[in-house]
């Protein structure tokens, strides 16, 4: 079967006064039906912009300048606002990072859910309300009938995120983009929400693009992983091989800086330097200035994707752990 | 809720009492009204008699006690000039002023809100820049000058609208209004526009600032991600959020529209209470001035209370309960 989502050569640039910011600069990936793809990267790596590009939520001065986004075989790039509106919520939904901000504070939960139903399905108010109530029940909100009449501020952060998830699930979209949906929650709630998302998506066959900077979350949740750096995917593959034997020095550095990797009491390892400005990327590899294994050709030429067995790929001239992959 | 309202009513009574004291003494230590009221032929004895008849010969604290006693019964004194009850005079003129202020307020919302929303949602467009430039003019041009220019253009030059006065009135539920006839609207159009100009600019600025801020909020992006139409996002999600500051400010501004329509009423010869105040001041008609100020105080206090109530309807996070500190 064709993949749910196929992104190829996507370039989303922001034309600011300070210059062109190449937030997403040639990103290609695909998501199979029912699959969970972890899109990992630090702040400013372009992972959220990639998600918003799929939703058609890039506002000026930003623009998709190149590439293709195919959702269930349908090309999204170049759709007008009404075309995107029909897709959003029905064929692809999105859950945001901060549940305190995503629900409108002055509208009741039922208003915000019913309008989401009737945006795509011409059903009666009553039917839409019943569907909303069932959706709330499904994400584990107690006494959903009463909670429909509540305002967002009467919910806790975790409960609000459940409401957002319920809204995303209303039309049973084949794909949901999750933009760090557990980052703003505390750890116990985080694991509950993760478990529930996993269960719900397994039931409905929904595919997820899980955007996060938390490798721990990805390890437990995702089937495949794509690591982004400076607007490009630098490494991709199934989760376990990538996390066990990272090929890219950046992936290796990220893993090395996890607290679990260090000696108790010893300072955490970190990747030196900081992300380059996306308005002025260097000529060669974007990671060269921070890489421990940098060589002369890294500075001269940006690397292309090198494929590896097991559907892995890495954007590096001198990948690490080659022995581990060959074996 | 009930406790909140009772508490606010008690506060309102205190404010009104304090204003009574301030206004009475403030007005009564300025000038001696008796010399404005007598005719030059009167001799000392006649002057003294007039003063006694009006109660102006007694010490000021005694005058105040009498004033308080009458005020408690809803009587704020008789006009020196008209010989009628001051409060009646004002209440008689009030419908005209309320009508003018109401039309001005509606104009401010109907014109200001769409323009401000547009300017806030498309801040870079030429039309938005033009709207903002005009709103600066609305703020800066003095009311009396704009009023004269309106008369010059629409009444004298084009002859479309009458320059002065109020149209024929009909009584509905005891309220005199001129808004039920075309002629009435023709009369109210220019003064209301003149009075509204500043408020239109104010609403434009508030709506623009609110819309610019709200458009960047995550809930707007989330609403778009749900597949909502643009009109629903602007008309419900953004509008309801920006109405909170607009309702607050407009509520207070309605008070000032009523209280300070003096200039507009004078220029357009609108028979409202603003003109009455101006006459009372030039003739030192103390009871009318005091009554006018008290009416305005009560008006402001009432509007403040109403704004608080509307505010809680708009923003569910506002709870109308006493702070437990």
């Amino acid at each position: 079967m064709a993949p749910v989502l196929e992104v190829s050569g996507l370039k989303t640039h922001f034309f600011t006064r300070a210059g062109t910011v190449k937030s997403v600069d040639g990103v290609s990936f695909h998501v199979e039906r029912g699959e969970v793809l972890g899109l990992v990267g630090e702040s400013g790596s372009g992972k959220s912009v990639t998600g918003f590009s799929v939703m058609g939520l890039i506002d000026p001065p930003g623009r998709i300048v190149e590439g293709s986004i195919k959702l269930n075989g349908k090309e999204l790039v170049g759709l007008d606002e009404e075309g995107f509106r029909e897709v959003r919520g029905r064929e692809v939904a999105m859950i945001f990072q901060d549940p305190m901000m995503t629900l409108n504070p002055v509208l009741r939960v039922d208003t915000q859910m019913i309008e989401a139903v009737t945006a795509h399905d011409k059903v009666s108010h009553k039917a839409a309300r019943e569907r909303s109530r069932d959706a709330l029940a499904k994400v584990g909100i107690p006494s959903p009938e009463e909670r429909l009449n509540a305002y967002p501020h009467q919910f806790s952060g975790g409960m609000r995120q459940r409401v957002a998830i319920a809204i995303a699930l209303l039309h049973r979209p084949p794909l949901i983009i999750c933009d760090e949906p557990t980052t703003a929650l505390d750890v116990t709630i985080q694991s509950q929400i993760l478990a529930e998302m996993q269960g719900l998506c397994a039931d409905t066959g929904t595919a997820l693009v899980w955007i996060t900077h938390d490798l721990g979350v990805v390890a437990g949740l995702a089937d495949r992983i794509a690591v982004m750096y400076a607007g490009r995917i630098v490494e991709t593959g199934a989760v376990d091989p990538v996390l066990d034997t990272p090929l890219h020095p950046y992936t290796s550095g990220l893993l090395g800086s996890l607290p679990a990797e260090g000696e108790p009491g010893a300072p955490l390892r970190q990747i030196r330097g900081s992300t380059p400005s996306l308005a002025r990327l260097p000529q060669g590899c974007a990671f060269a200035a921070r890489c421990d294994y940098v060589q002369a050709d890294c500075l001269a030429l940006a690397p292309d994707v090198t494929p590896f067995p097991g559907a892995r790929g890495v954007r590096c001239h001198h990948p690490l752990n080659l022995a581990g992959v060959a074996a | 809720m009930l406790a909140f309202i009772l508490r606010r009513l008690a506060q309102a009574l205190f404010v009104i009492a304090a204003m009574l004291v301030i206004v009475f003494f403030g007005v009564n230590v300025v000038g001696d009204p008796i010399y404005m009221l007598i005719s030059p032929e009167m001799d000392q004895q006649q002057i003294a008699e007039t003063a006694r008849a009006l109660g102006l010969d007694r010490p000021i604290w005694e005058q105040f006690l009498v004033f308080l006693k009458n005020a408690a019964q809803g009587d704020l004194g008789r006009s020196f000039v008209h010989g009628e009850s001051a409060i009646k005079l004002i209440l008689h003129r009030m419908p005209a002023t309320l009508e003018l202020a109401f039309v001005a307020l509606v104009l401010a919302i109907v014109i200001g809100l769409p323009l401000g929303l547009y300017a806030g949602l498309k801040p870079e467009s030429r039309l938005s820049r033009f709207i903002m430039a005009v709103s600066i003019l609305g703020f800066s041009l003095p009311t009396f000058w704009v009023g004269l220019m309106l008369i010059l253009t629409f009444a004298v030059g084009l002859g479309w609208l009458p320059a002065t006065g109020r149209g024929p009135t009909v009584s509905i539920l005891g309220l005199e209004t001129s808004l039920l006839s075309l002629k009435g609207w023709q009369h109210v159009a220019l003064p209301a526009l003149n009075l509204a100009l500043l408020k239109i600019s104010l609403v434009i600025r508030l709506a623009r600032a609110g819309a610019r801020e709200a458009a960047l909020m995550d809930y707007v992006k989330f609403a778009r991600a749900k597949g909502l139409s643009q009109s629903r996002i602007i008309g419900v999600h953004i509008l309801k959020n920006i109405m909170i500051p607009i309702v607050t400010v407009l509520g207070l501004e309605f008070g000032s529209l009523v209280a300070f329509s003096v200039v507009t009423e004078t220029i357009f010869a609108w028979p409202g209470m603003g003109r009455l105040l101006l006459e009372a001041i030039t003739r030192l008609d103390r009871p009318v001035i005091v009554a006018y100020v008290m009416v305005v105080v009560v008006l402001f206090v009432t509007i403040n209370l109403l704004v608080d109530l509307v505010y809680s309807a708009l923003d569910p996070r506002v709870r109308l309960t006493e702070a437990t500190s």
Side-chain angles (χ1 to χ4, degrees):
Chain A
M1 241 199 296
V4 176
L5 178 69
E6 193 164 14
V7 175
S8 45
L10 178 70
K11 292 189 177 182
T12 305
H13 294 177
F14 288 80
F15 300 90
T16 68
R17 248 176 236 172
T20 305
V21 179
K22 298 175 178 173
S23 294
V24 174
D25 199 28
V27 160
S28 305
F29 64 91
H30 68 278
V31 185
E32 302 289 343
R33 266 162 219 289
E35 186 185 43
V36 178
L37 173 76
L39 195 56
V40 181
E42 58 193 295
S43 308
S45 60
K47 53 193 197 308
S48 292
V49 175
T50 305
F52 284 129
S53 300
V54 175
M55 296 295 296
L57 290 176
I58 300 293
D59 291 321
R63 188 156 56 82
I64 295 176
V65 291
E66 228 182 282
S68 138
I69 301 170
K70 281 203 172 112
L71 189 68
N72 293 315
K74 177 179 162 190
E75 179 62 55
L76 297 187
V77 174
L79 275 187
D80 59 4
E81 185 60 26
E82 177 56 24
F84 258 119
R85 191 199 69 72
E86 283 174 9
V87 170
R88 290 182 201 133
R90 189 167 60 183
E91 289 172 53
V92 54
M94 189 160 184
I95 301 168
F96 290 63
Q97 175 172 359
D98 190 348
M100 301 305 200
M101 310 296 290
T102 48
L103 298 175
N104 195 325
V106 300
L107 297 176
R108 287 202 326 214
V109 167
D110 60 349
T111 314
Q112 303 194 45
M113 293 190 80
I114 290 165
E115 67 180 8
V117 174
T118 52
H120 297 297
D121 293 336
K122 299 293 158 233
V123 293
S124 70
H125 185 87
K126 190 161 166 274
R129 195 184 157 89
E130 277 163 13
R131 216 158 114 189
S132 308
R133 187 197 56 211
D134 295 345
L136 284 187
K138 206 158 64 179
V139 295
I141 288 180
S143 47
E145 183 62 44
E146 288 96 88
R147 299 309 267 164
L148 270 179
N149 292 327
Y151 283 96
H153 71 276
Q154 293 164 316
F155 287 80
S156 68
M159 282 295 162
R160 279 190 226 190
Q161 198 60 294
R162 281 168 203 261
V163 173
I165 292 168
I167 290 175
L169 289 170
L170 277 174
H171 293 278
R172 295 174 165 256
L175 176 70
I176 300 179
I177 294 168
C178 307
D179 189 4
E180 309 208 31
T182 56
T183 308
L185 305 174
D186 65 55
V187 186
T188 47
I189 307 292
Q190 187 172 337
S191 54
Q192 282 174 21
I193 299 257
L194 281 176
E196 245 161 67
M197 277 304 276
Q198 239 171 343
L200 289 169
C201 293
D203 289 350
T204 53
T206 305
L208 297 181
V209 173
W210 197 279
I211 298 170
T212 183
H213 60 256
D214 189 336
L215 287 168
V217 167
V218 168
L221 180 75
D223 302 310
R224 282 190 308 120
I225 183 172
V227 181
M228 276 193 83
Y229 184 78
R232 289 178 172 177
I233 291 178
V234 294
E235 179 161 9
T236 177
V239 165
D240 293 343
V242 170
L243 297 185
D244 290 343
T245 52
L247 297 171
H248 199 283
Y250 177 64
T251 317
S252 163
L254 280 183
L255 286 165
S257 56
L258 286 177
E261 298 285 312
E263 293 279 316
L268 291 176
R269 281 180 53 203
Q270 53 180 9
I271 303 174
R272 63 190 158 86
S274 55
T275 29
S277 158
L278 293 170
R280 277 183 298 278
L281 284 175
Q283 190 194 358
C285 175
F287 189 59
R290 307 172 70 187
C291 186
D292 289 334
Y293 311 95
V294 63
Q295 294 182 29
D297 54 347
C298 300
L299 298 170
L301 193 71
D304 276 328
V305 179
T306 320
F308 279 88
R312 293 188 68 176
V314 65
R315 205 182 264 275
C316 181
H317 289 307
H318 309 285
L320 311 169
N321 296 319
L322 285 176
V325 180
Chain B
M1 182 79 177
L2 188 69
F4 170 83
I5 294 176
L6 286 177
R7 196 185 159 87
R8 286 299 309 266
L9 280 176
Q11 285 172 352
L13 283 179
F14 176 78
V15 169
I16 291 171
M19 282 309 292
L20 266 177
V21 177
I22 295 171
V23 170
F24 181 83
F25 285 99
V27 171
N28 280 283
V29 292
V30 187
D32 191 343
I34 198 71
Y35 290 101
M36 302 285 294
L37 296 166
I38 49 162
S39 51
E41 301 93 62
M42 280 184 174
D43 59 25
Q44 271 308 319
Q45 199 188 346
Q46 281 171 309
I47 292 175
E49 261 166 33
T50 316
R52 197 173 309 125
L54 291 168
L56 290 171
D57 58 332
R58 298 191 220 161
I60 189 140
W61 61 267
E62 219 181 302
Q63 284 185 39
F64 179 64
L65 285 182
V66 172
F67 167 76
L68 265 193
K69 187 174 139 258
N70 292 335
Q73 296 162 353
D75 174 13
L76 290 173
R78 275 177 183 284
S79 161
F80 295 158
V81 180
H82 302 272
E84 271 182 77
S85 154
I87 195 90
K88 242 187 205 149
L89 263 179
I90 287 166
L91 291 182
H92 182 68
R93 298 279 199 103
M94 204 157 144
T97 300
L98 284 180
E99 181 179 291
L100 186 63
F102 175 74
V103 175
L105 192 72
V106 170
L107 279 179
I109 295 172
V110 170
I111 299 177
L113 206 53
L115 291 180
L117 263 178
Y118 181 86
L121 295 172
K122 294 202 183 308
E124 302 296 327
S125 84
R126 263 158 200 262
L127 182 59
S128 297
R129 287 169 204 273
F130 178 72
I131 291 170
M132 294 325 286
V134 172
S135 85
I136 292 177
L137 282 185
F139 263 117
S140 339
L141 294 177
T143 316
F144 71 88
W145 185 82
V146 175
L148 292 175
M149 288 303 122
L150 284 176
I151 290 179
L152 215 59
T153 316
F154 293 101
V156 179
L158 297 165
W160 290 353
L161 297 164
T164 59
R166 189 179 181 207
T169 63
V170 271
S171 180
I172 288 192
L173 301 170
L175 261 180
E176 294 278 321
T177 175
S178 68
L179 296 182
L180 290 175
S181 61
L182 179 67
K183 203 163 160 50
W185 277 99
Q186 284 172 342
H187 274 279
V188 84
L190 284 185
L193 185 65
N194 189 37
L195 197 58
L197 204 63
L198 198 96
K199 309 305 172 198
I200 293 173
S201 309
L202 188 68
V203 173
I204 287 178
R205 300 234 141 217
L206 283 171
R208 184 183 97 115
R212 283 197 76 167
E213 200 180 312
L216 299 175
M217 300 299 277
D218 269 359
Y219 61 74
V220 169
K221 222 163 199 177
F222 189 64
R224 288 172 71 193
K226 290 196 291 192
L228 298 188
S229 65
Q230 201 68 15
S231 58
R232 169 125 192 135
I233 292 173
I234 295 171
V236 176
H237 284 258
I238 293 183
L239 195 63
K240 198 160 181 212
N241 272 284
I242 65 172
M243 280 317 280
I244 295 165
I246 292 178
V247 164
T248 315
V249 172
L250 275 190
L252 299 176
E253 290 295 324
F254 184 72
S256 78
L257 276 178
V258 173
F260 309 120
S261 59
V262 181
V263 175
T264 299
E265 286 188 5
T266 309
I267 290 176
F268 290 91
W270 188 262
M273 45 189 239
R275 251 178 82 210
L276 185 69
L277 175 71
L278 214 64
E279 289 163 17
I281 289 174
T282 48
R283 297 193 193 165
L284 264 185
D285 195 350
R286 282 177 187 170
V288 174
I289 300 175
V290 172
Y292 180 88
V293 176
M294 288 322 295
V295 165
V296 168
V297 167
V298 171
L299 196 71
F300 266 84
V301 167
T302 314
I303 287 173
N304 267 327
L305 188 63
L306 286 180
V307 166
D308 275 343
L309 294 178
V310 175
Y311 202 96
S312 76
L314 277 175
D315 191 342
R317 290 164 295 183
V318 176
R319 290 250 184 88
L320 297 184
T321 47
E322 291 163 84
T324 48
S325 54

